[in-house]
């Protein structure tokens, strides 16, 4: 029984070490360099409105969810009028009109990009939807 | 230890199974939870939206040719929908355009057609078929038929396979061979542009109907285009088609085109 | 098993290097296409499918033709094919891999490809094509791999593989049938709107695939110690003979229906391909070349003396392969799009990057085939 023998021990161990180093590279390379989490800057209009289409905690964490639900609803089911749980009505649109998302959160740079850049996510919304004028 | 590998596989298999059932359980629990505690409100159709059982369009060909009214129709459509003006004709994007009788109704031309019809421009656009072959062909339901008869595109979902373009017997669909943005002279912020790699076509102005407005081409046509509900016998389009003879493009294919041409 | 692909002579590695560099060029061109869009190809609003989809169509046929070895060997116990059946299955694996790649590079939004699974749509033929192609790939991987590994161990293949072998027979027919259904169910395209399209595809497949196998067997005999055997090659050549005759016969049936009925939508595409339409006819010389190649191959294959003579046989096989490739990989797809539904004539010519991407995918397929064959031939040499 040779069950305890390891073939090519040196090569295997060297390979494993290199593998572990490469895999963990981003962690030790960026150690201690973590940028502080960004603060969202609300527009005056958004501050004045006080409430969004859903509670703030939900919107912070799950806004992509609601955008997905909305796009199905608008594009496929003709339903474009949203009534929030506190009884307010909104136009279900990301980028068109005063009562759309961007109609209230008027600055893409302050509202969207801050977190997205930090989290290194690149949603393709603005490949098609027209971003507000302030960015131009 | 002879069986150690086998027992390891067994254990790992079992744990994978229990893990996956756990996650399924989670999904079920959360989806059940949504109905009770979701902070998302309700969506509904706007009260001002125009609704119909079956939208259709009647084209008064002669009236449309007067004073080149069709030009305004094409221009307004392409302008408000951010349709790009591609420099290379191969990559052309168009929702509505004009062509001659023999091209719009191939196989129906003959040499004794009155001159006025030979030369007159016919407007062509998506036929919003009753039985659309593009919808049948689409592998992702990115193009679909709404309950009011409008055949629409979901640009978010389109994978750009172009099966719908091969399926459409009317050549109504265009593909974005490049990013269209640089080729739009003046962007209309009220309507999204498209991205490269998706198919697009006329949407019967679904975004305007939702606001209670008629399609843009109809609005500028000075009565040469009539838009309405064929499911309603009292509607203007139903009444016109009862009185005047209209032809449709390639009716023999069974696709049921909903654009009617008065001749 | 796989380790056998890592030990080879100088020529083997040279060949692999050449393939890898062609793949490299193809990948660069594809990245270019991914960044700029499909506008860098020759495709247009009117000819919205081009070289990629045409190669896909042709290669589905090559993949399906493995059944011409599997069926006689496993159903009729035709032992002569025993030595080369796995070669056919490996051709199928390489060809299906290329098919999947061709579909992928043809997409405008390839990163959304999983939408096909996320929103399954059984009324779309593309949905079924995805199922049959992936299924066929896995069946052949299972069957080919097991047959080979049991051969290397000198034991009969495990019994559980049997159902997969039998399944692979109707499945091979299904991949090319579904591929034909992509086209022949479309109402406005007169060239494809024919019930004989699937049978025609199968006939040209069963001509192109086995003739490719004959060519491969002769190359293998030159560069390795593996000999498929005179009898196997002769039987393959008979299959090619029947299939290419049926293919040309089917085509003539199409021509008869179109031109005797005089229906313009059906005639115009054939006119465009063979005599040109409204002064356009880039494909005319190609189509006639294809016809001449196929017809002269039939002559060479029918006459027993030229069929049994390996020199003339290989000429016939090359003629069949090139002839069917032009027919399907060049004429079949763009021919269906010209003239367009409004009877305008806009022609299609593939662009250089498009051809480079195509070559890259072919090199990938040949690389897969080379590696699989390296393993198979090494095992066969060891066993002998």
């Amino acid at each position: 029984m040779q069950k305890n023998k390891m073939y090519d021990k040196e090569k295997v161990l060297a390979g494993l070490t290199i593998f572990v180093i490469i895999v963990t590279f981003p962690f030790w390379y960026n150690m201690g360099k973590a940028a502080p989490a960004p603060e969202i800057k609300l527009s005056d209009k958004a501050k004045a409105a006080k409430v969004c289409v859903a509670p703030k905690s939900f919107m912070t964490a799950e806004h992509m969810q609601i955008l997905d639900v909305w796009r199905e609803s608008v594009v496929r089911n003709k339903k474009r009028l949203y009534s929030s749980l506190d009884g307010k009505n909104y136009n279900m649109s990301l980028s068109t009109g005063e009562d759309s998302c961007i109609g209230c959160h008027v600055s893409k740079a302050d509202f969207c990009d801050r977190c997205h850049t930090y989290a290194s996510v690149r949603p393709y919304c603005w490949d098609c939807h027209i971003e507000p004028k302030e960015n131009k | 230890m002879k069986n150690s590998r086998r027992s390891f596989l067994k254990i790992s298999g079992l744990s994978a199974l229990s893990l996956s059932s756990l996650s399924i359980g989670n999904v079920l629990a959360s989806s059940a939870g949504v109905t009770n505690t979701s902070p998302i409100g309700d969506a509904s159709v706007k009260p001002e939206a125009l609704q119909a059982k079956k939208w259709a369009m009647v084209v008064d060909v002669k009236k449309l040719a007067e004073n080149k009214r069709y030009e305004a129709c094409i221009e307004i459509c392409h302008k408000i929908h951010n349709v790009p003006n591609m420099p290379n004709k191969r990559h052309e994007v168009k929702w509505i355009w004009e062509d001659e009788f023999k091209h719009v109704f191939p196989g129906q031309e003959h040499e004794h057609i009155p001159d006025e019809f030979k030369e007159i421009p016919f407007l062509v656009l998506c036929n919003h078929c009753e039985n659309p072959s593009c919808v049948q062909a689409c592998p992702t339901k990115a193009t679909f038929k709404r309950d009011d008869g409008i055949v629409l595109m979901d640009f978010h979902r389109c994978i750009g396979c172009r099966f719908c373009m091969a399926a459409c017997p009317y050549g109504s669909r265009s593909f974005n061979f490049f990013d269209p943005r640089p080729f739009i002279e003046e962007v209309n912020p009220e309507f999204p542009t498209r991205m490269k790699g998706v198919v697009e076509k006329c949407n019967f102005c679904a975004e305007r109907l939702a606001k209670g407005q008629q399609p843009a081409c109809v609005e500028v046509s000075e009565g040469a285009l009539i838009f309405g509900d064929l499911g309603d016998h009292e509607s203007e389009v139903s009444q016109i088609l009862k009185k005047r003879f209209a032809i449709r493009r390639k009716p023999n294919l069974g696709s049921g085109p909903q654009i009617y041409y008065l001749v | 098993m796989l380790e056998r692909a890592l030990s080879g002579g100088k020529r083997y590695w040279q060949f692999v290097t050449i393939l890898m560099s062609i793949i490299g060029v193809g990948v660069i061109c594809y990245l270019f296409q991914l960044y700029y869009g499909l506008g860098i190809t020759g495709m247009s609003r009117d000819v919205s499918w081009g070289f990629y989809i045409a190669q896909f169509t042709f290669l589905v046929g090559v993949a399906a033709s493995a059944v011409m070895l599997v069926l006689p060997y496993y159903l009729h116990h035709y032992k002569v094919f025993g030595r080369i059946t796995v070669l056919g299955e490996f051709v199928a694996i390489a060809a299906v891999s290329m098919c999947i790649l061709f579909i992928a590079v043809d997409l405008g939004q390839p990163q959304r490809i999983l939408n096909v699974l996320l929103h399954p749509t059984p009324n779309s033929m593309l949905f079924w094509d995805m199922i049959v192609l992936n299924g066929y790939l896995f069946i052949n991987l299972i069957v080919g791999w097991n047959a080979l590994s049991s051969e290397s161990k000198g034991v009969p293949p495990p019994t559980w593989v049997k159902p997969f072998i039998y399944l692979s027979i109707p499945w091979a027919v299904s991949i090319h049938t579904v591929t034909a259904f992509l086209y022949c169910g479309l109402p406005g395209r007169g060239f494809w709107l024919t019930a004989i399209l699937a049978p025609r595809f199968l006939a040209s497949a069963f001509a192109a695939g086995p003739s490719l196998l004959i060519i491969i067997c002769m190359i293998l005999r030159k560069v390795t110690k593996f000999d498929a055997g005179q009898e196997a090659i002769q039987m393959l050549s008979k299959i090619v003979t029947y299939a290419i005759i049926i293919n040309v016969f089917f085509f003539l049936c199409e021509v008869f229906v179109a031109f005797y009925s005089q229906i313009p939508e059906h005639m115009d595409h054939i006119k465009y391909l063979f005599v040109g339409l409204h002064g356009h006819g880039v494909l005319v010389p190609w189509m006639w070349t294809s016809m001449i190649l196929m017809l002269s191959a039939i002559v060479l294959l029918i006459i027993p003396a030229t069929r049994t003579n390996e020199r003339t046989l290989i000429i016939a096989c090359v003629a069949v392969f090139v002839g069917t490739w032009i027919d399907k990989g060049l004429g079949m797809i763009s021919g269906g799009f010209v003239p367009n539904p409004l009877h305008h004539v806009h022609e299609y010519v593939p662009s250089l990057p498009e051809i480079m991407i195509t070559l890259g995918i072919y090199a990938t397929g040949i690389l897969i085939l080379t590696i699989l064959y390296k393993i198979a031939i090494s095992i066969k040499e060891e066993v002998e």
Side-chain angles (χ1 to χ4, degrees):
Chain A
M1 292 289 258
Q2 293 188 319
K3 62 178 177 180
N4 289 327
K5 184 162 188 288
M6 187 174 177
Y7 295 103
D8 292 329
K9 198 173 182 178
E10 299 78 20
K11 282 184 196 164
V12 169
L13 288 178
L16 265 178
T17 317
I18 293 171
F19 175 75
V20 169
I21 289 173
I22 291 174
V23 164
T24 55
F25 175 78
F27 294 100
W28 54 260
Y29 182 77
N30 287 317
M31 215 183 302
K33 280 189 265 181
E39 282 284 313
I40 288 186
K41 213 155 120 199
L42 280 183
S43 68
D44 295 339
K45 200 173 166 189
K47 272 186 203 148
K50 288 207 176 67
V51 286
C52 195
V53 296
K56 193 184 169 190
S57 57
F58 179 82
M59 291 309 288
T60 314
E62 308 282 352
H63 58 279
M64 46 300 232
Q65 186 101 39
I66 214 167
L67 285 171
D68 202 41
V69 171
W70 277 25
R71 115 180 145 192
E72 290 285 306
S73 171
V74 170
V75 177
R76 306 185 78 88
N77 304 327
K78 293 190 287 188
K79 294 179 177 169
R80 292 170 182 252
L81 184 69
Y82 176 84
S83 318
S84 67
L85 293 184
D86 49 14
K88 287 201 171 65
N89 283 348
Y90 299 89
N91 177 26
M92 292 164 76
S93 168
L94 175 68
S95 58
T96 57
E98 285 292 300
D99 49 355
S100 67
C101 300
I102 225 66
C104 190
H105 304 289
V106 291
S107 169
K108 173 175 168 283
D110 286 345
F111 191 70
C112 309
D113 295 347
R114 281 183 169 233
C115 285
H116 290 165
T117 311
Y118 173 74
S120 191
V121 287
R122 291 177 195 85
Y124 60 84
C125 312
W126 310 102
D127 284 6
C128 298
H129 291 270
I130 317 289
E131 45 184 275
K133 279 253 159 42
E134 48 103 25
N135 289 309
K136 287 178 189 163
Chain B
M1 285 311 281
K2 196 176 148 199
N3 282 331
S4 66
R5 189 155 77 148
R6 173 167 292 190
S7 58
F8 169 75
L9 283 175
K10 264 188 197 161
I11 290 170
S12 57
L14 271 178
S15 49
L17 203 72
S18 57
L19 264 177
S20 56
S21 58
L22 246 177
S23 61
I24 291 170
N26 274 339
V27 170
L28 286 177
S30 65
S31 63
V34 165
T35 51
N36 303 328
T37 57
S38 165
I40 303 180
D42 289 325
S44 54
V45 178
K46 287 187 178 175
E48 69 265 33
L50 297 182
Q51 304 225 47
K53 290 202 190 81
K54 193 163 109 182
W55 287 119
M57 186 186 277
V58 174
V59 182
D60 191 332
V61 178
K62 276 188 195 167
K63 211 169 175 184
L64 194 69
E66 284 165 23
N67 307 325
K68 297 194 169 182
R69 280 177 196 161
Y70 58 89
E71 281 182 355
C73 300
I74 298 168
E75 197 190 319
I76 190 76
C77 170
H78 288 177
K79 197 175 160 187
I80 66 165
H81 292 122
N82 290 323
V83 174
N85 184 12
M86 303 304 284
N88 188 334
K89 189 143 191 300
R90 285 197 291 126
H91 307 139
E92 193 177 22
V93 179
K94 50 189 179 187
W95 286 25
I96 179 169
W97 69 101
E98 46 97 3
D99 208 336
E100 294 171 313
F101 180 83
K102 63 174 179 184
H103 290 297
V104 178
F105 298 94
Q108 296 197 46
E109 76 275 20
H110 56 81
E111 50 184 314
H112 308 294
I113 287 177
D115 282 345
E116 48 178 346
F117 278 114
K118 253 186 218 166
E119 327 252 283
I120 216 169
F122 282 69
L123 262 193
V124 261
L125 61 156
C126 171
N127 275 294
H128 296 278
C129 299
E130 228 176 326
N131 179 23
S133 34
C134 54
V135 171
Q136 193 181 30
C138 178
T140 63
K141 302 186 189 82
T143 193
F144 57 97
K145 194 179 143 203
R146 243 164 48 164
D147 58 2
D148 57 0
I150 299 185
V151 176
L152 273 184
M153 280 292 301
D154 184 345
F155 303 117
H156 307 98
R157 195 184 280 189
C158 175
I159 60 171
C161 69
R162 310 190 294 297
F163 204 176
C164 55
M165 296 178 77
C168 176
Y170 304 105
S172 295
R173 293 173 162 266
S174 308
F175 181 70
N176 285 282
F177 281 96
F178 290 115
D179 177 11
R181 278 267 173 105
F183 306 102
I184 304 169
E185 276 121 59
E186 193 189 335
V187 174
N188 169 22
E190 293 296 303
F191 198 78
T193 66
R194 267 68 61 198
M195 64 202 295
K196 69 164 184 275
V198 298
V199 173
E200 63 180 272
K201 65 166 198 77
C202 156
N203 67 348
F204 250 4
C205 282
E207 84 284 3
R208 289 172 59 88
L209 296 178
K211 286 189 272 186
Q213 297 166 318
Q214 290 267 310
C217 56
V218 175
E219 210 172 77
V220 301
S221 71
E222 300 174 41
L225 298 176
I226 306 105
F227 180 79
D229 184 5
L230 277 188
D232 170 8
H233 294 289
E234 302 306 312
S235 70
E236 197 186 350
V237 280
S238 298
Q239 292 299 323
I240 294 176
L241 290 180
K242 256 182 219 159
K243 285 189 209 107
R244 293 183 60 185
F245 184 70
I247 56 172
R248 297 185 295 170
R249 297 172 67 195
K250 302 187 184 179
N252 55 323
L253 297 181
S255 49
Q258 291 307 308
I259 310 289
Y260 296 80
Y261 295 87
L262 296 176
V263 287
Chain C
M1 297 268 281
L2 263 176
E3 71 279 4
R4 290 181 181 86
L6 295 174
S7 60
K10 197 176 161 198
R11 271 203 309 187
Y12 171 69
W13 288 113
Q14 271 173 351
F15 189 58
V16 170
T17 315
I18 292 170
L19 290 177
M20 293 291 269
S21 36
I22 300 173
I23 294 171
V25 176
V27 168
I28 292 168
C29 289
Y30 179 65
L31 292 175
F32 187 59
Q33 176 189 301
L34 198 61
Y35 184 77
Y36 286 103
L38 279 161
I40 66 153
T41 68
M43 287 184 265
S44 62
R45 190 182 192 276
D46 285 329
V47 186
S48 46
W49 280 338
F51 220 45
Y52 301 147
I53 293 297
Q55 303 318 305
F56 152 78
T57 310
F58 177 73
L59 288 167
V60 171
V62 173
S65 71
V67 77
M68 285 289 108
L69 294 172
V70 173
L71 194 146
Y73 179 59
Y74 287 106
L75 279 193
H76 299 282
H77 306 287
Y78 182 63
K79 294 277 178 268
V80 179
F81 279 174
R83 295 165 56 79
I84 54 170
T85 299
V86 76
L87 300 187
E89 282 155 356
F90 283 171
V91 167
I93 291 171
V96 175
S97 311
M98 287 189 266
C99 292
I100 293 170
L101 284 173
F102 274 118
I103 292 280
V105 299
D106 188 64
L107 294 181
Q109 285 289 334
Q111 58 274 51
R112 295 183 190 162
I113 193 166
L114 289 176
N115 276 0
V116 179
L117 295 175
L118 203 60
H119 310 284
T121 314
N123 51 276
S124 172
M125 279 300 127
L126 211 56
F127 170 78
W128 293 105
D129 216 32
M130 177 204 69
I131 291 177
V132 292
L133 282 181
N134 284 298
Y136 195 63
L137 180 62
F138 286 116
I139 290 173
N140 276 290
L141 277 173
I142 292 168
V143 173
W145 200 255
N146 274 294
L148 203 59
S149 72
S150 40
E151 190 179 337
S152 77
K153 291 175 198 137
V155 292
T159 43
W160 63 265
V161 180
K162 268 275 152 94
F164 286 99
I165 294 170
Y166 295 138
L167 182 63
S168 82
I169 295 168
W171 206 286
V173 178
S174 83
I175 62 167
H176 221 15
T177 306
V178 174
T179 305
F181 283 3
L182 290 178
Y183 312 111
C184 68
L186 305 178
R189 309 279 178 184
F191 188 54
W192 302 328
L193 191 66
T194 158
I196 213 175
L197 198 69
R200 199 180 146 195
F201 274 14
L202 284 165
S204 88
F206 295 156
S211 64
L212 176 68
L213 265 173
I214 294 177
I215 299 168
I216 288 175
C217 284
M218 295 200 178
I219 295 173
L220 288 180
R221 198 197 293 157
K222 270 222 152 141
V223 298
T224 70
K225 280 180 245 157
F226 176 76
D227 185 0
Q230 191 72 18
E231 205 186 332
I233 289 182
Q234 277 307 312
M235 185 47 99
L236 277 176
S237 71
K238 282 176 199 152
I239 293 173
V240 176
T241 313
Y242 280 110
I244 190 68
I245 292 172
I246 294 171
N247 183 44
V248 172
F249 168 68
F250 281 169
F251 171 71
L252 294 175
C253 291
E254 299 263 35
V255 173
F256 170 80
V257 171
F259 286 87
Y260 195 82
S261 70
Q262 295 277 306
I263 298 174
E265 287 106 276
H266 294 267
M267 284 192 300
D268 286 345
H269 302 279
I270 303 178
K271 274 189 197 161
Y272 166 69
L273 288 176
F274 284 91
V275 293
L277 197 65
H278 304 311
H280 299 278
V282 277
L283 287 173
V284 172
W286 290 92
M287 294 316 289
W288 283 109
T289 310
S290 161
M291 275 299 127
I292 292 165
L293 285 172
M294 289 197 275
L295 289 173
S296 33
I298 288 177
V299 174
L300 286 177
L301 287 167
I302 285 184
I303 302 168
T306 44
R307 187 178 63 239
T308 44
N309 179 332
E310 288 206 342
R311 272 240 175 103
T312 38
L313 174 62
I314 196 128
I315 295 172
C317 286
V318 171
V320 166
F321 192 77
V322 177
T324 48
W325 179 80
I326 295 173
D327 180 30
K328 240 167 160 179
L330 222 50
M332 182 57 68
I333 301 308
S334 42
F337 282 111
V338 187
N340 81 354
L342 286 92
H343 276 237
H344 288 289
V345 179
H346 292 133
E347 289 192 287
Y348 162 79
V349 179
S351 72
L352 190 64
E354 194 175 5
I355 291 172
M356 295 316 295
I357 293 169
T358 304
L359 287 179
I361 294 176
Y362 268 108
T364 312
I366 297 172
L367 182 66
I368 294 172
L369 193 66
T370 308
I371 290 168
L372 292 175
Y373 272 19
K374 179 73 176 53
I375 298 166
I377 301 296
S378 308
I379 287 171
K380 284 181 189 292
E381 285 173 346
E382 283 162 27
V383 172
E384 275 162 22

